[in-house]
Amino acid sequence: MSKLVVMYPKPADPAQFDSHFRGVHMPLVQKMPGLKSFSFGPATALDGSDGAFFWMFVGTFDSLDAIHAALNSPEGQAAVADIPNYSPEGPTILHLDATEG
């Protein structure tokens, strides 16, 4: 399995970020072809303090090629184009070649 990991910096308005992400962005993301499963939410350090990132999204795909295909699809392009609407600084985006246990 391959994971698309998206890590967001703390926004100026966390409540607006949360509302937009859940109500507008995720419906766009869920239309991306090849997305098998996902999780998202606020990210904190283990002691509950602010973490290095404010929010994380992890999407599961069959392969890195499937991630690229999803991001290059019209649905993926719509999701990517929405990012500046709630995260003007832009996220850090990584690929994890996951070993599942």
Side-chain angles (χ1 to χ4, degrees):
M1 287 295 179
S2 288
K3 308 277 184 176
L4 174 66
V5 181
V6 185
M7 301 173 295
Y8 293 92
K10 187 169 185 176
D13 184 347
Q16 187 276 334
F17 178 105
D18 187 319
S19 176
H20 187 99
F21 191 93
R22 291 175 191 273
V24 177
H25 191 68
M26 279 311 300
L28 295 172
V29 170
Q30 289 177 278
K31 293 178 183 175
M32 290 173 52
L35 179 64
K36 301 292 186 190
S37 64
F38 60 86
S39 58
F40 64 85
T44 60
L46 290 177
D47 65 3
S49 64
D50 286 348
F53 296 94
F54 167 74
W55 192 276
M56 291 183 67
F57 167 87
V58 179
T60 303
F61 294 83
D62 285 334
S63 65
L64 179 57
D65 286 341
I67 292 172
H68 286 296
L71 291 172
N72 289 318
S73 71
E75 297 84 357
Q77 289 296 299
V80 170
D82 182 54
I83 292 172
N85 295 326
Y86 64 92
S87 184
E89 290 183 46
T92 298
I93 302 173
L94 302 172
H95 164 253
L96 172 64
D97 188 14
T99 300
E100 306 277 333

